[in-house]
Each structure stands twice: as structure tokens, then as C-alpha cells.
Amino acid sequence: MFELILSTALIFMTLSVLATIYRLVKGPSVSDRVQALDSIGINLISGVAVTSVLLRTTAFFEVILLIGILSFIGTIAFARFLERGVVIEHKRSK
Amino acid sequence: MKEPNDVILRSVTKVAVLIILTFAINLFFSGHHNPGGGFIGGLAFASALTLLFLCYDIETVRENIPVDFKAVTAVGVLISVFTGIGGIIFDRPFLTQAFDYFQLPLFGKTELATAVLFDIGVAMAVIGTAITIISSISEDR
């Protein structure tokens, strides 16, 4: 019963990722695409977490942390590019 | 128009960089029997430095970390090659590794392997390459 619930959750997460990929491709503005990328990262994290509960292992926790860090940095880079037009400034404007 | 400032980003970065650096060192040292190792540890370290580059700017980070990252790459590759040559000195094939168990204070019985030295070289090469690529891509002109 427990495994059935977890598998159903995984299936719905996959559907959610697919729906987000539609927004990623179709999205009218760049902000929509950035948010879609971030949302895909969060869905991946939850998918890995559910999988590690399903397999009864702690081996994937580092994967969760790494996906979280990379998705965070990627979202910040895109946000800075949208707001300032430059990702890494050479000299900070005080 | 209001000047955009990033107070929240800077406050988060001060905490998150510490966490990411700790995680990178943990990934580096969990190398042999768990997922991890020099390459991915170096990449996590480079991502922490990238976060610093994003939050502040290149000048500030270069002032506070006065390291030439091209030299870091070269030194890392040299360390890796010399640990490989160490096998030849003891009349074994190139890149032979050895390990033994030692009784260390505070850690107890610990497995020490020469592959860690090789991994340090790999990590330095990865950090240097990644930071060099990022800081040279971000130059506007």
C-alpha cells in the first residue's frame, strides 16, 4: 500500500514536470521560462526524495543537496541577467 | 527610477556560501566508498565561488581571494602527475595506489590512502579551470 502511494506520487511528479516543460518551451516571456526551470529543479528534488524513501536508502541525499545548490545558483544568475542585463559585474556600482 | 539593490541576496549568500563550501569538502572526503571525490568536490567548490562572483563582483572577489586560478590548475595537474610517478619510484606501475590503517588521535582507526593526494590534484585542476572559464566568459569586452 505504502509503495503504491509513493509510485502514484512519482507518476504525478512526472506529469508535473511534463506540464512545466510545456511552459518552458511555450512560455511567452523569459521570466516564465526561468520560473519553469526552477520548478523543474524542485520537482527533481522531490522525485529523488521519494525514490530514496521507496528504495529505503540514504545514498541519494547528496544528490538532493547538489540539485538544490545548482538550481539556486542558476535561478540567481538568470534573475540578475533579467534585472541588470549582465550576469557578473566587473566593478560593483555602489 | 529606483536603484535595484540586493540586500536579501547578500544576506542569503553569506550563509549559503559557508554551507556550500562545507558540503564541497564533505563531498571531497567521502570519495572512496561513497559518492563523491575530487571532481565533484571541486565542482561544488567552484559553484560556491560562482555564487560569490554573482553576489559581489569580480574585483571584490579578486581582492579578497588573491589567487591566480590558472596557476591553481597547473599546480593541481602537477600534483596528480607526481602522485602517479610515486608508483614508479617504488617499482610499481604508473598511478598505483596504496592504503593502510592508522591509529589516529580523535579519529580512531582510520584508513589513509594515497589516492587522496591524487584527488587533491584533480580538485585543484577542476576549481582552477571552472573559475578561469567563468571569469573570462563574464568579461564584457
Side-chain angles (χ1 to χ4, degrees):
Chain A
M1 185 63 197
F2 190 55
E3 290 185 0
L4 182 70
I5 295 172
L6 289 180
S7 316
T8 320
L10 274 181
I11 290 171
F12 277 107
M13 277 171 208
T14 316
L15 288 180
S16 139
V17 168
L18 287 178
T20 325
I21 285 176
Y22 172 77
R23 181 53 63 200
L24 183 67
V25 175
K26 190 80 178 174
S29 71
V30 188
S31 315
D32 291 327
R33 294 197 170 99
V34 174
Q35 285 212 342
L37 266 181
D38 200 23
S39 168
I40 285 178
I42 291 170
N43 272 307
L44 275 179
I45 291 174
S46 50
V48 173
V50 170
T51 312
S52 63
V53 172
L54 195 61
L55 297 177
R56 291 175 196 285
T57 173
T58 59
F60 298 125
F61 286 177
E62 278 130 353
V63 180
I64 294 175
L65 263 169
L66 264 185
I67 296 175
I69 290 168
L70 292 182
S71 146
F72 172 64
I73 292 177
T75 310
I76 283 180
F78 273 118
R80 279 190 80 89
F81 179 69
L82 285 181
E83 194 184 77
R84 304 267 173 97
V86 57
V87 178
I88 300 176
E89 290 172 324
H90 194 71
K91 188 78 184 117
R92 182 166 28 145
S93 49
K94 290 278 162 55
Chain B
M1 187 185 159
K2 232 175 9 175
E3 186 72 20
N5 68 342
D6 28 44
V7 175
I8 297 177
L9 176 61
R10 294 213 172 121
S11 313
V12 169
T13 302
K14 277 171 194 159
V15 183
V17 161
L18 270 184
I19 297 174
I20 298 172
L21 287 178
T22 318
F23 178 57
I25 293 171
N26 176 36
L27 265 183
F28 175 76
F29 278 114
S30 68
H32 289 81
H33 306 299
N34 291 308
F39 190 83
I40 187 67
L43 278 182
F45 202 95
S47 71
L49 290 181
T50 310
L51 185 58
L52 278 182
F53 275 134
L54 281 173
C55 176
Y56 299 99
D57 55 321
I58 292 185
E59 296 282 323
T60 314
V61 177
R62 280 213 180 125
E63 273 173 25
N64 289 292
I65 311 176
V67 178
D68 185 12
F69 284 100
K70 297 189 211 58
V72 170
T73 312
V75 170
V77 174
L78 272 182
I79 288 176
S80 296
V81 171
F82 279 130
T83 52
I85 290 177
I88 297 182
I89 293 176
F90 291 103
D91 208 11
R92 294 280 165 77
F94 185 61
L95 286 177
T96 306
Q97 66 146 327
F99 64 94
D100 205 351
Y101 293 94
F102 292 97
Q103 203 74 36
L104 292 183
L106 210 68
F107 288 108
K109 193 182 176 192
T110 316
E111 179 188 354
L112 294 182
T114 57
V116 174
L117 296 174
F118 180 76
D119 258 1
I120 287 175
V122 173
M124 283 173 74
V126 170
I127 292 168
T129 313
I131 297 299
T132 308
I133 289 173
I134 285 167
S135 60
S136 58
I137 280 178
S138 67
E139 306 264 331
D140 308 307
R141 21 181 201 283

